[in-house]
Amino acid sequence: MVTKIDNQKSSIATATEKSSKRTTIRKKLSMKDVAEAAGVSQPTVSFAYNRPGRISESQRRHVLETAERIGYPGPNALGKSLRSGKVGAIGLMMMDRLSLAFDDPSMIALLKGIGHSGLFEETALTLFPLNHLLTASGLPGGTDSLAVRGLADGLIITTLPNGHPIITQVQEREIPFVIVDAPKIPNSSFVGIDDYEAARTQMRHLLDLGHRRIGVLVDRLNPDGQTGPVSRQRFEAATEALMSERLRGYVEAAADAGISYNDLKIYEAGGLGTTAGQAAAFSLLNSEKITGIVATSDVMALGCLRVARDFSLNIPQDLSVVGFDDIPEAVSAGLTTIQQPMVEKGVIAAQFLRQIMDGKHPSGVKLVKIFQTHLILRSSTRHI
């Protein structure tokens, strides 16, 4: 005798079997099945997915609607990438942990610029942080990055240390790339500013205001986490090209005014975030009697303003501060700073990369864009 429960089990089993069969059928559907159902040729179905410009919009819509009706999920992405040699993704390669991409104003602006270019709307953007490719000393030493394993059709590379071995890997594998800010690679496309001259402008501003006891806050000179006063030896051995160029601008502008390297109070934060900036500013202000500070980023400068308040220092009566970047927070803080077009860097980098990937510029000719910078005067500096 068959019980009610047995009937339920049988019904469930039958439904499961039917569902399984439908799933199996769906997995086996091909473009040929879509072509037959739509009453078109198989190449027409292929064009609908891969080269829509070859058929009319109404024909493409008919093919896609038919595919959806019969349950065809579309061409296999992996198979398509293997056939075309493309993966449909570009990469942003940076020398830091992934979280920095969402915290650092410069990185956020760069990402925004890439998006605003509108050139990769149907392309994935993958972030490739390289902070894990370091030796025990904290210096670049590895090349085990997914970016050179065929997971990106092109790369935008930003602020890598000089001599990072990943660059050689990218070049050897002939992956299209554009450098933003650093490092500067011979015969490679580049987007950036004249960091040396911009830094000289920062320092000259304080000198013109009469400051002679000047401190310098630098993010980092090597990716090894070291903090503290910067010796001449460490300065000359710096691998972070961006910071090295800015510090060189400070040192040489000060030297023109008769201020030696040892007379400057240079302090390295060892990182790029707000916490590192505040810690460096605290150490600098706690140990030195200075009237003005130049910082290699607005993040460092804003950290200095916060710490100055803790020291009961009035800005700018007791301390003048000059930043670098002109991020949105600099406006509300009244920070005198160097303005650079950070979003526009991303736009141009995307344009360059698109041209290189599409083969629309002469082989062997590098694309270069150097933006102008401007000193923006606000309330954080004054004559002494």
Side-chain angles (χ1 to χ4, degrees):
M1 181 177 180
V2 180
T3 65
K4 185 177 181 180
I5 293 178
D6 290 334
N7 282 331
Q8 290 176 338
K9 288 182 177 179
S10 177
S11 297
I12 293 172
T14 301
T16 302
E17 182 179 358
K18 289 180 179 179
S19 175
S20 177
K21 287 181 178 179
R22 285 197 299 269
T23 302
T24 301
I25 291 173
R26 180 174 293 181
K27 288 182 179 178
K28 291 181 179 179
L29 287 174
S30 66
M31 286 189 180
K32 181 179 179 180
D33 299 308
V34 178
E36 291 177 354
V40 299
S41 67
Q42 190 169 332
T44 298
V45 177
S46 178
F47 291 152
Y49 283 101
N50 303 313
R51 303 178 70 182
R54 296 289 298 274
I55 60 177
S56 68
E57 180 58 31
S58 61
Q59 196 172 29
R60 179 172 185 263
R61 190 181 309 114
H62 171 62
V63 169
L64 297 180
E65 288 175 352
T66 301
E68 183 178 3
R69 176 172 55 81
I70 70 173
Y72 175 62
N76 181 274
L78 178 59
K80 181 181 177 181
S81 67
L82 290 174
R83 289 190 298 272
S84 66
K86 303 294 183 182
V87 296
I90 62 168
L92 176 61
M93 185 179 285
M94 58 185 189
M95 189 62 224
D96 276 287
R97 63 191 184 278
L98 185 60
S99 60
L100 184 71
F102 307 101
D103 293 333
D104 180 59
S106 297
M107 196 66 67
I108 293 171
L110 181 60
L111 287 166
K112 184 181 294 185
I114 296 170
H116 283 184
S117 73
L119 295 171
F120 295 99
E121 292 296 320
E122 298 182 2
T123 304
L125 173 62
T126 305
L127 303 180
F128 294 109
L130 301 183
N131 61 309
H132 65 289
L133 301 181
L134 300 174
T135 64
S137 64
L139 297 175
T143 58
D144 184 26
S145 171
L146 295 174
V148 295
R149 291 196 227 159
L151 293 187
D153 299 319
L155 294 169
I156 294 175
I157 300 172
T158 183
T159 58
L160 263 62
N162 290 334
H164 198 296
I166 200 72
I167 297 294
T168 301
Q169 292 284 309
V170 171
Q171 291 175 315
E172 288 177 348
R173 301 194 183 199
E174 298 183 343
I175 302 172
F177 71 94
V178 175
I179 300 288
V180 176
D181 289 331
K184 293 181 179 178
I185 308 297
N187 301 317
S188 296
S189 296
F190 178 84
V191 179
I193 61 174
D194 190 335
D195 290 280
Y196 169 77
E197 280 301 330
R200 286 180 63 87
T201 299
Q202 274 182 290
M203 180 60 75
R204 282 198 300 264
H205 175 59
L206 283 187
L207 294 170
D208 290 345
L209 293 176
H211 296 274
R212 291 299 181 270
R213 290 179 291 149
I214 299 173
V216 175
L217 285 174
V218 57
D219 297 45
R220 68 181 182 203
L221 294 171
N222 286 309
D224 55 9
Q226 181 172 320
T227 65
V230 178
S231 66
R232 169 73 76 166
Q233 181 180 11
R234 182 165 177 82
F235 164 46
E236 293 176 350
T239 61
E240 295 276 6
L242 210 63
M243 297 300 106
S244 178
E245 280 295 283
R246 292 179 190 180
L247 184 52
R248 185 169 69 89
Y250 301 149
V251 170
E252 294 187 7
D256 291 344
I259 301 174
S260 70
Y261 183 92
N262 291 332
D263 289 332
L264 290 174
K265 309 305 177 183
I266 306 172
Y267 201 95
E268 183 176 1
L272 309 180
T274 302
T275 300
Q278 291 181 350
F282 179 88
S283 297
L284 180 61
L285 293 174
N286 193 47
S287 60
E288 304 292 346
K289 300 296 183 181
I290 54 181
T291 62
I293 287 179
V294 292
T296 54
S297 72
D298 282 348
V299 172
M300 295 289 116
L302 292 171
C304 182
L305 294 182
R306 295 186 186 100
V307 172
R309 288 195 293 268
D310 294 337
F311 277 83
S312 298
L313 296 175
N314 293 317
I315 304 294
Q317 290 81 3
D318 301 320
L319 181 71
S320 289
V321 180
V322 188
F324 200 118
D325 287 331
D326 198 27
I327 64 176
E329 291 84 348
V331 179
S332 58
L335 180 66
T336 294
T337 187
I338 294 291
Q339 182 186 74
Q340 62 162 319
M342 296 189 293
V343 173
E344 288 82 354
K345 282 183 181 180
V347 172
I348 297 299
Q351 291 176 356
F352 283 0
L353 184 61
R354 182 80 272 173
Q355 290 181 50
I356 296 170
M357 291 172 62
D358 292 346
K360 293 182 178 179
H361 82 288
S363 178
V365 177
K366 64 179 182 178
L367 302 168
V368 176
K369 174 65 177 180
I370 305 298
F371 285 100
Q372 295 295 313
T373 58
H374 306 279
L375 178 67
I376 305 299
L377 299 176
R378 297 194 179 102
S379 59
S380 66
T381 56
R382 61 164 280 178
H383 284 87
I384 61 171

